[in-house]
Amino acid sequence: MSEQQGHEQQDPEQGPQPGYQQQGPQPGHPPPGPQPGYQQPGPQPGYPPPGYPPPGFPPPGYYPPPGTYTGDPNAPYGYDPYGRPYSDKSKVIAGILQLTLGGFGVGRFYLGNVGMGLAQLFTCGGLGIWSLIDGILLLTGNDHTDEQGRILRG
């Protein structure tokens, strides 16, 4: 006996031995791969892939960096983190003008507040006290606006 007991050689013409299954589709299951008559959904021509914003527009919630021109005439220097437009006027320049020439109301004239500038001019800046306090508030505050209501730049 040249063959060991329990091990039989398989004849290629006989097919697989009992107990073994062939690789291939199982009964009741579709074959792997794309099925005929069904296409995977894809991007429509002329539209961006799903989940991406249209080209040329920033993603939602994006604000440009402060001080950049956005193309918006109402916000020539961009927007602050709260979405308010920045002014072309600086709060540092307004504060320094108010501290040095506040008796003449120069800081308020610079910001476009003509009425308050005239009041400071006629009272010599509230005898210097009003212009000093106003200059400090202009330098330290974050909510001062110009004549168009835009937030002063830093």
Side-chain angles (χ1 to χ4, degrees):
M1 212 191 233
S2 65
E3 297 178 21
Q4 294 180 355
Q5 235 178 359
H7 289 83
E8 298 177 8
Q9 288 184 350
Q10 178 181 352
D11 189 8
E13 294 176 5
Q14 288 180 348
Q17 290 194 355
Y20 292 101
Q21 291 185 351
Q22 291 181 346
Q23 297 289 336
Q26 299 290 324
H29 294 286
Q35 297 176 6
Y38 177 74
Q39 292 181 335
Q40 293 290 333
Q44 300 294 323
Y47 293 101
Y52 293 97
F57 293 99
Y62 171 78
Y63 291 106
T68 58
Y69 182 68
T70 60
D72 184 2
N74 295 324
Y77 289 92
Y79 295 93
D80 72 346
Y82 299 108
R84 301 176 297 184
Y86 277 126
S87 172
D88 55 343
K89 308 283 197 287
S90 170
K91 72 176 186 175
V92 174
I93 293 176
I96 290 174
L97 285 173
Q98 192 62 29
L99 287 174
T100 57
L101 299 170
F104 302 113
V106 175
R108 288 298 177 166
F109 283 123
Y110 169 74
L111 293 178
N113 299 333
V114 178
M116 194 173 289
L118 287 173
Q120 287 181 352
L121 177 65
F122 293 137
T123 62
C124 295
L127 299 176
I129 298 170
W130 181 12
S131 61
L132 176 68
I133 293 172
D134 200 25
I136 293 171
L137 288 176
L138 281 171
L139 287 172
T140 60
N142 289 329
D143 58 346
H144 293 287
T145 59
D146 63 0
E147 68 271 10
Q148 282 105 14
R150 299 180 295 197
I151 301 295
L152 299 178
R153 290 185 295 135

